[in-house]
Amino acid sequence: MTVPRQTTTQRRGLLLAAVRGGDSSIQALAEQFGVSPSTIRRDLTELAREGHVVRTYGGALDTGPSVERTLREKDASHAEEKNAVARAAAELVRDGEVVLLDSGTTTGRLAHHLADRPGLTVVTNGLTVLLALADSPEVDVIVLGGRLRHPNEAILGTTVEQQLRHIRPDRVFLGADGLTADRGLCAPTLEQAQLKHAMLHAGREAYVLVDHSKLGSAPFVYWAPMDREHTIVVDDGHPAALAPFESLPNCVLRAVTV
C-alpha cells in the first residue's frame, strides 16, 4: 500500500518505522512511499548518519534495540494506540488537580487532551508537554528546570529532582521506553531511570502510559523499579503481553480499546 506524500521529515520517520518492521528493499520502499529510489537512498543515508540504520547493498537494516530513537520517530509509531491511552488517562484527571507529566510522546498527547481543563496545574520535565500546553489559558504550567536532553527532549539534572521534593501532585503519569514485570521501567540513561523513580514516588497516585509494544521490551540497561502501587494504562492490542503484569501485587491494569 502506498502512503500519502509526506514532508521529508515525516517520510524519514515513517521510513525508519518501515525498516524496523522488516522492510529493507529500496525498490519496495520507493513504491510504498511514492518517491524515487534515489530519494529513498538519500533518506537511508541520512538515517544511517544519525545512527538509526545500517546501510546494506540495496537497502538498510535496523541497528538494533539499543539505539535510541528520536521523539519524531517514536511519535509516528503506534499513534492510534497512544491516542487511545492518552484519552483514557485524561479521563482520570479531575478539574483543579495538580498532575506531574513525564517527558515522552504519550504524555505529550495526554497534555493535549488536558489543554482546556479549568483550574488544572501541570508540572513537567517534557518539552512535548510544554508545547502542547503553551497556548492554554486554562492550565497553570510549571516547568522543572534543568538541562534539555536530546533526542527525547526531556529536561534532566539534579535541579529537577530537587524541585520534585517540594511538590506533591495528585497524579503522576510516566512514560517508558520499555516495561517489564520483573524490572520495571526501562530508560536510556541512568539519570533518567533515577528521575522516573523519583517521579513515581512523588504523587498520591502513579500511572504508567504505554502502548502494547512497550510491554516486555527492554531496549536499554537502565531501570526504575515499580516499587509502589501504580496503574498501567495500555491499549488492548496484544492481550498476551498483559499476562505477566496481572499477578503483580502493586499493579492495576487498565486496558483500553483503540
Side-chain angles (χ1 to χ4, degrees), residues 19-181:
V19 172
R20 288 198 164 117
D23 298 332
S24 60
S25 165
I26 286 179
Q27 186 59 45
L29 291 168
E31 293 175 0
Q32 179 181 347
F33 287 90
V35 297
S36 68
S38 61
T39 296
I40 293 296
R41 289 189 185 93
R42 285 195 297 271
D43 287 345
L44 293 177
T45 298
E46 180 61 21
L47 291 173
R49 187 189 67 79
E50 295 175 352
H52 302 303
V53 300
V54 175
R55 289 287 276 115
T56 64
Y57 179 78
L61 296 174
D62 184 9
T63 53
S66 63
V67 175
E68 186 177 1
R69 294 183 294 167
T70 67
L71 211 64
R72 182 183 73 249
E73 294 161 4
K74 292 179 182 179
D75 200 46
S77 175
H78 300 283
E80 291 186 9
E81 291 88 343
K82 290 177 180 178
N83 280 330
V85 168
R87 285 193 298 269
E91 294 174 358
L92 300 171
V93 178
R94 300 168 185 165
D95 293 346
E97 287 190 333
V98 177
V99 296
L100 172 61
L101 301 188
D102 188 12
S103 61
T105 56
T106 308
T107 50
R109 291 169 187 259
L110 168 57
H112 174 77
H113 290 292
L114 298 177
D116 60 352
R117 298 288 292 274
L120 201 66
T121 298
V122 172
V123 183
T124 187
N125 75 318
L127 190 58
T128 55
V129 175
L130 176 60
L131 293 176
L133 298 175
D135 295 326
S136 174
E138 302 289 341
V139 180
D140 186 18
V141 181
I142 298 175
V143 183
L144 298 172
R147 182 189 76 259
L148 182 64
R149 180 184 182 272
H150 298 286
N152 63 350
E153 299 180 11
I155 300 171
L156 305 174
T158 56
T159 53
V160 176
E161 291 194 42
Q162 290 169 355
Q163 291 165 42
L164 275 180
R165 299 171 189 167
H166 301 280
I167 303 171
R168 181 65 170 173
D170 297 292
R171 303 177 198 276
V172 177
F173 294 95
L174 297 172
D177 288 276
L179 180 66
T180 69

